Amino acid sequence: MADVTPRQRVDALRSELELHNRRYYVDNRPEISDREFDRLMAELVELESRHPDLRSPDSPSQRVGGEPVDGFEQVRHDPPMLSLDNSYDEGELEEWIGRLRRLAPDADFTYVAELKVDGVSISVLYEDGVLTQAVTRGNGEVGDDVTPNVRTIRRLPLRLPADAPRRLLVRGEIYMPRGVFDRINREREEAGIPLYANPRNTTAGTVRLLDSREVARRSLEVTVFQAATELGAATHGETLESLAAWGLPVSGTWARCADASALHAYVQDWRGRRHELDYETDGVVVKVDDLDLHGRLGRTGKAPRWAVAYKFEAEQAETRLLGISVQVGRTGALTPVAELEPVLLAGTTVKRATLHNYEDLARKDARIGDSVIVEKGGDIIPKVVAVNLERRPADAEPFQEPTVCPECGEGVVRFVGEVALRCVNPACPAIVAQAVQHFVSRNAMDIEGLGGKLVEQLLREKLIRDYTSLYDLRVEDLENLDGWGRKSAENLVEQVEISKGRTLGHLLFAIGIRFVGVSVAKALAERFVDLDRLAAAEQEDLEDTPEVGPKVADSVLRFFADPRNRERLEKLRAEGVTMTQPAPEAPASDDSPVAGKTIVLTGALDSMTRGDAKKRLEALGAKVTGSVSKKTDLLVAGEAAGSKLTKAESLGVEVTDEAGLLALLGEG
């Protein structure tokens, strides 16, 4: 291989990886092991890192995700992404067909039926065969550019074959397979982190993560259902066949239907079989097959006349309410949970269902002994939607709203403007257990090896009493516990010690201040740098922090006003836990032209990626952010700069191009 140039090897690796990617994800005929595939990928990533000029947006390496971004650029859809009108029973579907015949009485209507995947709509653009842009639906007119995240979806080709159109705009739906969703929730349960509610909401959150490496780990999928580019096809069915031939992921469940009878048969078939699928579907999309008729039929408002969504009804079952238990969450919220006589619902046996909160419970007037209607519309925990009052037994027992916490016995409160009852005792066993599990989680202090069951064991054995006592653990305390040994005890103590070096941003998220998530914690840490300065901050100072409004500021003030919280923080300080945020790297030289400036990058750059540009600017002392404001000193506008350029011009922010950027970096 001595005579092979880096470019030749990169090209060969890309071709080989794309071939094996298609064999695995599209053809279901893998030819090499996962280990061999990973080895080839690692070689490609290493070559591209040594030769940045060889990087390309269609490289398979893009699927592993890149550096986090500061925010998403908004892009206008052309044409707009329309929504669909809904029908909820066969009668409404017949009415839609009748309207079509009145609008085009001379037409011979046939249809295409496709399962409606319950996910996140996406628009994907290919230019010269290369995936160049992916944009969320947004409001149908404008969406977020999430291209780096969508590139991580392995079933979606980064490059199309030579016979595909030079410019192709397709629309589809991103979703999370049920198996992946279940795996993520199992991991969260073991880590003591609250479970995600359903695959669709998890998909929506994943698509908009700022770190595409985390997106890659979540194994999203996509199905393509429409071309927004004229392909010369006569029918929608032919369009789907062409998209599939070019390697795009088209669902294999679509079918041509000659008439209304065939449509009804398709709907009935999938209504019963939908739980066999590894993804959520909430109905069927019906489209007129003849594309010429699409133009004749037109649209109304934001929906086309030539398509309609037939929504499956949420599945329900009736069972008996055996009791109502109370769960106490990490923030102290008390949630009523229905304990049910087991019933089969949506393919699973349901024994418990949420009652949301006590206000909702009172409104439904659910009593122990009642027959209740349970519904499962995609939620991981089914919900009680109604009570069958006609079957209420004479001895049905009303549930009394608790006045004390069931775990610690202290009184509960309801804050103004909230419906939830809360336990405000930081020493409550339920709050402590979940607070410890949150404290050790990945985005907090990231203490590996401490899942929910181990935390419960340590609390049960009285080796810890809250998250501060994790730093008191010793190897000799752990090694003789059930399931432990010398090595596992040493590993945990080592991980606890390592966590002392986490940043203030990690600590602020870990200690569980209400409404302070990962990004708010980081913003507060960067604004105040030191825990003591944050603890002494006034409301106005807090609200001057990005992402912090009155509600968050009030929660921060309330947290630091509690002497029990201050005592815990002092214990952490005494244990050597870091209470500061590292300062940005100093400029390479005192005369750096960007030192101290706030810079925004937008559009595509030829000489480097935006991530590379950000790193180099920050190394020179600049602060690179994701949005334009009055505080922005400079906007670097690459090719196809969008709304950020318009906003910068309206605010009078200085704008430069890529040549100007290179000059600032000392390369001009």
Side-chain angles (χ1 to χ4, degrees), residues 25 63-65 149 152-154 174-185 187-188 193-194 196 198-221 442-443 518:
Y25 289 99
R63 298 193 187 279
V64 301
N149 290 346
T152 69
I153 302 176
R154 293 185 177 274
I174 296 176
Y175 63 93
M176 179 173 285
R178 287 175 175 167
V180 174
F181 176 75
D182 292 341
R183 170 180 60 79
I184 291 174
N185 261 348
E187 292 171 354
R188 293 178 71 83
I193 306 172
Y196 287 131
N198 55 59
R200 187 195 180 283
N201 290 356
T202 311
T203 301
T206 300
V207 168
R208 300 195 75 259
L209 287 174
L210 298 178
D211 189 344
S212 58
R213 293 169 300 189
E214 177 61 26
V215 179
R217 284 191 284 269
R218 297 195 182 184
S219 304
L220 295 177
E221 291 283 7
R442 178 184 296 173
N443 290 322
V518 175

Side-chain angles (χ1 to χ4, degrees), residues 122-144:
I122 196 76
S123 178
V124 182
L125 176 63
Y126 289 87
E127 295 177 298
D128 293 326
V130 176
L131 193 163
T132 57
Q133 191 175 68
V135 182
T136 62
R137 184 182 181 278
N139 62 8
E141 299 287 339
V142 176
D144 291 326

